[in-house]
Amino acid sequence: MKPTRVTNAIRTLRFAHGEMTQAELAERIGVTRQTIIAIEQGRYSPSLEMAFRIARVFAVPLDDAFGYEDGLE
Amino acid sequence: MTFQEKGVWVYGVLTAVVSAVYFVFLAGQIRTTAVSEIGYQIPMVAAIVVSIVLFIVASIAITIASPADADKADQRDKDIDRHGELIGYYVVAAGCLPVVILAMVRADQFWIANAMYLTGVAGALVSSAVKAIDYRRGFWR
């Protein structure tokens, strides 16, 4: 299974929002802290629904929270 | 480590240890006794029951150790579980073929029963290993 091409700015967004902790973000979207860590480190690509929930927490469009790298092989 | 990941490790390790004890017992018997004479039935049932009981006890111990995380499973846990179970299913499906062949050639029921048990063990071990790797290395759709 190839590593995900989905990138994210969750770490940056957390710090921009009062240094929100991973545990706090996890609590707000209803997942475990380990899942937030896995998403931040690119070890798990969230479902579209979870991605929207994360973007909503930071009140940003989906594109500001997540990206997709073209040409990565 | 999440509650679900701990469960994966416990299940994998228990399956490996209990089945290893059972197969070591069988290996000792095969050297000295004709397979049709080996009383494998009670040890096999005991191995299965002991695995289940130990898993329940270990799950209770994990819950007591961190009650806040008990039985929590999010989308990632479910995705990883589904992936591991799917790969484990392929192993069990492939393992059924030798069992059918053993039945077709009228092999001793000792071989049929143990091939079946080995298939189940292999499926459980592969499934646990896939889940443990998904948790550590990462899981992507």
Side-chain angles (χ1 to χ4, degrees):
Chain A
M1 207 179 286
K2 286 181 181 176
T4 181
R5 291 181 180 185
V6 178
T7 59
N8 70 82
I10 297 175
R11 196 181 175 86
T12 309
L13 289 167
R14 281 197 300 107
F15 279 94
H17 284 73
E19 298 194 5
M20 184 188 291
T21 64
Q22 291 168 328
E24 197 180 335
L25 177 59
E27 177 83 17
R28 289 183 66 172
I29 63 168
V31 299
T32 61
R33 190 174 66 87
Q34 287 81 0
T35 293
I36 297 297
I37 294 169
I39 294 170
E40 279 192 8
Q41 293 177 346
R43 289 190 293 110
Y44 176 66
S45 51
S47 65
L48 191 56
E49 191 178 337
M50 195 189 295
F52 269 111
R53 288 209 301 269
I54 292 169
R56 288 274 162 83
V57 167
F58 298 118
V60 295
L62 193 61
D63 266 4
D64 286 359
F66 293 92
Y68 186 77
E69 286 183 0
D70 288 321
L72 184 76
E73 284 298 332
Chain B
M1 196 183 278
T2 63
F3 182 84
Q4 302 298 328
E5 188 178 357
K6 286 174 192 165
V8 166
W9 279 97
V10 166
Y11 184 67
V13 170
L14 281 179
T15 303
V17 170
V18 174
S19 61
V21 169
Y22 172 73
F23 284 120
V24 166
F25 160 78
L26 275 195
Q29 295 283 303
I30 286 173
R31 284 199 208 116
T32 57
T33 316
V35 290
S36 58
E37 303 296 321
I38 295 174
Y40 68 89
Q41 295 90 339
I42 291 173
M44 184 188 283
V45 171
I48 294 166
V49 171
V50 165
S51 292
I52 294 168
V53 171
L54 286 180
F55 181 69
I56 292 169
V57 170
S59 297
I60 292 169
I62 294 170
T63 304
I64 291 169
S66 55
D69 298 333
D71 222 21
K72 269 187 187 170
D74 63 15
Q75 187 64 53
R76 175 170 164 258
D77 293 312
K78 288 173 189 165
D79 287 343
I80 289 174
D81 184 64
R82 207 172 293 134
H83 182 230
E85 290 302 321
L86 179 66
I87 305 296
Y89 164 77
Y90 290 145
V91 172
V92 171
C96 281
L97 185 62
V99 176
V100 170
I101 292 169
L102 284 170
M104 284 176 171
V105 299
R106 296 184 187 278
D108 191 280
Q109 61 174 248
F110 170 89
W111 294 114
I112 296 171
N114 282 289
M116 199 85 178
Y117 178 69
L118 179 63
T119 297
V121 167
L125 289 178
V126 169
S127 161
S128 299
V130 167
K131 291 177 196 178
I133 291 168
D134 283 350
Y135 273 115
R136 292 290 104 190
R137 198 201 60 179
F139 175 76
W140 309 277
R141 285 179 197 84

Coordinates of all heavy atoms in Angstrom, one line a residue, chain A residues 43-44, chain B residues 8 74-86 127 130-136 138-139:
Chain A
R43 N 0.3 9.2 8.5 CA 0.2 7.8 8.6 C -1.2 7.3 8.4 O -1.5 6.1 8.5 CB 0.9 7.3 9.9 CG 2.4 7.4 10.0 CD 2.9 6.7 11.2 NE 2.6 7.3 12.4 CZ 1.7 6.8 13.3 NH1 1.2 5.6 13.1 NH2 1.5 7.4 14.4
Y44 N -2.1 8.2 8.2 CA -3.5 7.8 8.1 C -4.2 8.9 7.3 O -4.1 10.1 7.6 CB -4.2 7.7 9.4 CG -5.7 7.4 9.3 CD1 -6.1 6.2 8.8 CD2 -6.6 8.3 9.8 CE1 -7.5 5.9 8.7 CE2 -8.0 8.0 9.7 CZ -8.4 6.8 9.1 OH -9.8 6.5 9.0
Chain B
V8 N -5.4 -5.8 19.8 CA -4.8 -6.5 18.6 C -3.5 -7.3 19.1 O -3.3 -8.5 18.7 CB -4.4 -5.5 17.5 CG1 -3.5 -6.1 16.5 CG2 -5.7 -5.0 16.8
D74 N -12.6 4.5 16.9 CA -13.0 5.5 16.0 C -12.9 5.0 14.5 O -12.6 3.8 14.3 CB -12.2 6.8 16.2 CG -10.7 6.6 16.0 OD1 -10.3 5.6 15.4 OD2 -9.9 7.5 16.4
Q75 N -13.0 5.9 13.6 CA -13.0 5.5 12.2 C -11.7 4.8 11.8 O -11.7 3.8 11.0 CB -13.1 6.7 11.3 CG -13.3 6.4 9.8 CD -14.6 5.7 9.5 OE1 -15.7 6.1 9.9 NE2 -14.4 4.5 8.8
R76 N -10.5 5.3 12.3 CA -9.2 4.6 12.0 C -9.2 3.2 12.5 O -8.8 2.3 11.8 CB -8.1 5.5 12.6 CG -6.7 4.9 12.4 CD -5.7 5.9 12.8 NE -4.4 5.3 13.1 CZ -3.9 5.1 14.3 NH1 -4.6 5.4 15.4 NH2 -2.7 4.6 14.4
D77 N -9.7 3.0 13.8 CA -9.7 1.7 14.3 C -10.5 0.7 13.5 O -10.2 -0.4 13.2 CB -10.3 1.7 15.7 CG -9.4 2.4 16.7 OD1 -8.2 2.1 16.8 OD2 -9.9 3.3 17.5
K78 N -11.7 1.2 13.0 CA -12.6 0.4 12.2 C -12.0 0.1 10.9 O -12.1 -1.0 10.4 CB -14.0 1.1 12.0 CG -14.8 1.1 13.3 CD -16.0 2.0 13.2 CE -16.7 2.1 14.6 NZ -17.7 3.2 14.6
D79 N -11.3 1.1 10.2 CA -10.7 0.9 8.9 C -9.6 -0.2 9.0 O -9.5 -1.1 8.2 CB -10.0 2.2 8.4 CG -11.1 3.2 8.0 OD1 -12.2 2.8 7.7 OD2 -10.7 4.4 7.8
I80 N -8.8 -0.1 10.1 CA -7.7 -1.0 10.3 C -8.2 -2.4 10.6 O -7.7 -3.4 10.1 CB -6.7 -0.5 11.4 CG1 -5.9 0.7 10.9 CG2 -5.8 -1.6 11.9 CD1 -5.1 1.4 11.9
D81 N -9.2 -2.5 11.4 CA -9.8 -3.8 11.7 C -10.4 -4.4 10.5 O -10.1 -5.6 10.2 CB -11.0 -3.6 12.7 CG -11.6 -4.9 13.2 OD1 -10.8 -5.7 13.8 OD2 -12.7 -5.2 12.9
R82 N -11.1 -3.7 9.6 CA -11.6 -4.2 8.4 C -10.5 -4.7 7.5 O -10.6 -5.8 6.9 CB -12.4 -3.1 7.7 CG -13.6 -3.7 6.8 CD -14.4 -2.5 6.3 NE -15.2 -1.9 7.4 CZ -15.3 -0.6 7.6 NH1 -14.7 0.2 6.7 NH2 -16.0 -0.1 8.6
H83 N -9.4 -4.0 7.4 CA -8.3 -4.4 6.5 C -7.7 -5.7 7.0 O -7.4 -6.6 6.2 CB -7.3 -3.2 6.5 CG -6.1 -3.5 5.6 ND1 -4.8 -3.4 6.0 CD2 -6.0 -3.9 4.3 CE1 -4.0 -3.7 5.0 NE2 -4.7 -4.0 4.0
G84 N -7.4 -5.7 8.3 CA -6.8 -6.9 8.9 C -7.7 -8.1 8.7 O -7.2 -9.2 8.4
E85 N -9.0 -8.0 9.0 CA -9.9 -9.1 8.9 C -10.0 -9.6 7.4 O -10.1 -10.8 7.2 CB -11.3 -8.7 9.4 CG -11.4 -8.5 10.9 CD -11.0 -9.7 11.7 OE1 -11.3 -10.8 11.3 OE2 -10.3 -9.5 12.7
L86 N -9.9 -8.7 6.5 CA -10.0 -9.1 5.0 C -8.8 -9.9 4.7 O -9.0 -11.0 4.0 CB -10.1 -7.8 4.2 CG -10.1 -8.1 2.6 CD1 -11.4 -8.8 2.3 CD2 -10.0 -6.8 1.9
S127 N -4.0 -11.7 10.4 CA -4.9 -10.6 10.6 C -4.4 -9.7 11.7 O -4.4 -8.5 11.6 CB -6.3 -11.2 11.0 OG -7.1 -10.3 11.7
V130 N -1.2 -7.8 10.4 CA -1.6 -6.7 9.5 C -2.1 -5.5 10.2 O -1.7 -4.4 10.0 CB -2.7 -7.2 8.5 CG1 -3.3 -6.1 7.7 CG2 -2.1 -8.2 7.5
K131 N -2.9 -5.8 11.2 CA -3.5 -4.6 12.0 C -2.4 -3.9 12.8 O -2.3 -2.7 12.8 CB -4.6 -5.2 13.0 CG -5.8 -5.6 12.3 CD -6.8 -6.2 13.4 CE -7.9 -7.0 12.7 NZ -8.8 -7.6 13.7
A132 N -1.5 -4.7 13.4 CA -0.4 -4.1 14.2 C 0.5 -3.3 13.3 O 0.9 -2.2 13.7 CB 0.4 -5.2 14.9
I133 N 0.8 -3.8 12.1 CA 1.6 -3.0 11.1 C 0.9 -1.8 10.7 O 1.5 -0.7 10.6 CB 2.0 -3.9 9.9 CG1 2.9 -5.0 10.3 CG2 2.6 -3.1 8.7 CD1 3.1 -6.1 9.3
D134 N -0.4 -1.9 10.4 CA -1.2 -0.7 10.0 C -1.2 0.4 11.1 O -1.1 1.6 10.8 CB -2.7 -1.1 9.8 CG -2.9 -1.8 8.4 OD1 -2.0 -1.8 7.6 OD2 -4.0 -2.3 8.2
Y135 N -1.3 0.0 12.4 CA -1.2 0.9 13.5 C 0.2 1.6 13.5 O 0.3 2.8 13.8 CB -1.5 0.2 14.8 CG -3.0 0.2 15.1 CD1 -3.6 -1.1 15.2 CD2 -3.7 1.3 15.4 CE1 -5.0 -1.1 15.5 CE2 -5.1 1.3 15.7 CZ -5.7 0.0 15.8 OH -7.0 0.0 16.0
R136 N 1.2 0.8 13.4 CA 2.6 1.4 13.6 C 3.1 2.1 12.3 O 3.6 3.2 12.4 CB 3.6 0.2 13.9 CG 3.4 -0.5 15.2 CD 3.8 0.4 16.3 NE 2.6 0.9 17.0 CZ 2.7 1.9 17.9 NH1 3.8 2.4 18.3 NH2 1.6 2.3 18.5
G138 N 1.3 2.8 9.4 CA 0.3 3.7 8.8 C -0.7 3.0 8.0 O -0.4 1.9 7.5
F139 N -1.9 3.6 7.8 CA -2.9 2.9 7.0 C -3.5 4.0 6.0 O -3.9 5.0 6.5 CB -4.0 2.3 7.9 CG -5.1 1.8 7.1 CD1 -5.0 0.6 6.4 CD2 -6.3 2.5 6.9 CE1 -6.0 0.1 5.7 CE2 -7.4 2.0 6.2 CZ -7.2 0.8 5.5

